[in-house]
Amino acid sequence: MEKYEEWKKMNRDYIKEINRLVQNINPPNNLQIISYFTHSLNISHTGGFDSFCIGSFHIRNVGTHVLNNPFICIRIESENDFDFSGKYVYQDSIQKKKMSQAWERINDSKEKHEYWLRPNEIQSLDAGSTISFPNFQLKWKSDLSYTFRVNGFVYGDELKEGSNSLNDIHLRGTNERGR
């Protein structure tokens, strides 16, 4: 019985020491942002019909530090004609306050290959939180061969140089005539 009591005291001492050490641990205060695309495709192999990609761009703060004033850039590299749409408004738009969960386009609306957007209702991305630019649509005609590359980048007060997404969207196709 004496050995058992000795063992119990030793365990209690170990647990006290572990608890003391755990209480003194301060997790590092770091910013760690990951971003990625999810998407689905509807590809037409017949001329005259539209093909499209519906996607969302997600930003997740997996660090312990807040990202203030987050904004994104979605860049579309292509020589093909396309339409890009999503739930965004322009800086001088009357709809700005009416659309919930909309994003605001902060670059020139004439720029067709880069879309700089910031969330209307969110000024910071807390640790463990996620925000998304959901359900954007990239649409093009399938009459000719096409190539698209969609890149995403995240910026903010603490991320001035930006952080690129974990994945891109690559689309390439040839019409039935091979052009």
Side-chain angles (χ1 to χ4, degrees), residues 149-166:
R149 181 176 178 193
V150 183
N151 308 94
F153 305 90
V154 178
Y155 298 86
D157 290 351
E158 296 80 10
L159 206 57
K160 301 236 186 267
E161 299 297 315
S163 171
N164 58 320
S165 62
L166 295 175

Side-chain angles (χ1 to χ4, degrees), residues 69-73 88-92 96 103-111 114-120 155:
N69 300 310
F71 61 99
I72 63 174
C73 174
Y88 64 87
V89 295
Y90 295 98
Q91 289 175 316
D92 54 356
K96 191 173 180 178
W103 290 61
E104 178 183 6
R105 184 163 182 191
I106 55 178
N107 68 324
D108 187 353
S109 62
K110 294 175 187 157
E111 170 58 55
E114 286 190 2
Y115 296 81
W116 291 81
L117 306 161
R118 72 172 158 226
N120 267 345
Y155 298 86

Side-chain angles (χ1 to χ4, degrees), residues 50 76 81-85 112 115 137-140 148:
D50 289 339
I76 303 167
D81 287 333
F82 63 88
D83 291 316
F84 180 83
S85 59
K112 190 170 168 122
Y115 296 81
Q137 187 177 80
L138 176 67
K139 185 169 62 170
W140 67 96
F148 293 97

Side-chain angles (χ1 to χ4, degrees), residues 1 13 26 36 51 53 55-56 91-92 117 127 132 134 141 148 161 168 173:
M1 198 64 153
D13 291 344
N26 291 323
Y36 58 94
S51 293
C53 170
S56 294
Q91 289 175 316
D92 54 356
L117 306 161
S132 298
K141 292 282 185 201
F148 293 97
E161 299 297 315
D168 298 332

Side-chain angles (χ1 to χ4, degrees), residues 10-166:
M10 187 173 70
N11 273 346
R12 274 193 305 269
D13 291 344
Y14 282 143
I15 290 173
K16 282 181 187 175
E17 179 64 14
I18 290 170
N19 285 335
R20 186 188 66 76
L21 291 171
V22 167
Q23 287 176 347
N24 291 332
I25 292 176
N26 291 323
N29 193 12
N30 66 352
L31 179 66
Q32 193 171 6
I33 302 294
I34 60 170
S35 60
Y36 58 94
F37 288 99
T38 55
H39 65 281
S40 63
L41 303 170
N42 183 12
I43 305 291
S44 173
H45 296 286
T46 306
F49 290 96
D50 289 339
S51 293
F52 58 91
C53 170
I54 297 175
S56 294
F57 187 61
H58 309 280
I59 305 109
R60 177 138 177 93
N61 185 347
V62 295
T64 57
H65 193 275
V66 173
L67 175 63
N68 291 296
N69 300 310
F71 61 99
I72 63 174
C73 174
I74 295 178
R75 183 184 324 150
I76 303 167
E77 297 174 14
S78 181
E79 293 181 9
N80 299 84
D81 287 333
F82 63 88
D83 291 316
F84 180 83
S85 59
K87 195 171 182 180
Y88 64 87
V89 295
Y90 295 98
Q91 289 175 316
D92 54 356
S93 175
I94 297 169
Q95 292 181 332
K96 191 173 180 178
K97 295 194 183 341
K98 294 180 185 175
M99 287 179 69
S100 68
Q101 299 179 347
W103 290 61
E104 178 183 6
R105 184 163 182 191
I106 55 178
N107 68 324
D108 187 353
S109 62
K110 294 175 187 157
E111 170 58 55
K112 190 170 168 122
H113 293 276
E114 286 190 2
Y115 296 81
W116 291 81
L117 306 161
R118 72 172 158 226
N120 267 345
E121 300 170 352
I122 298 171
Q123 281 72 45
S124 63
L125 181 59
D126 296 330
S129 296
T130 302
I131 57 174
S132 298
F133 177 61
N135 302 320
F136 63 81
Q137 187 177 80
L138 176 67
K139 185 169 62 170
W140 67 96
K141 292 282 185 201
S142 303
D143 294 345
L144 301 173
S145 297
Y146 57 87
T147 302
F148 293 97
R149 181 176 178 193
V150 183
N151 308 94
F153 305 90
V154 178
Y155 298 86
D157 290 351
E158 296 80 10
L159 206 57
K160 301 236 186 267
E161 299 297 315
S163 171
N164 58 320
S165 62
L166 295 175

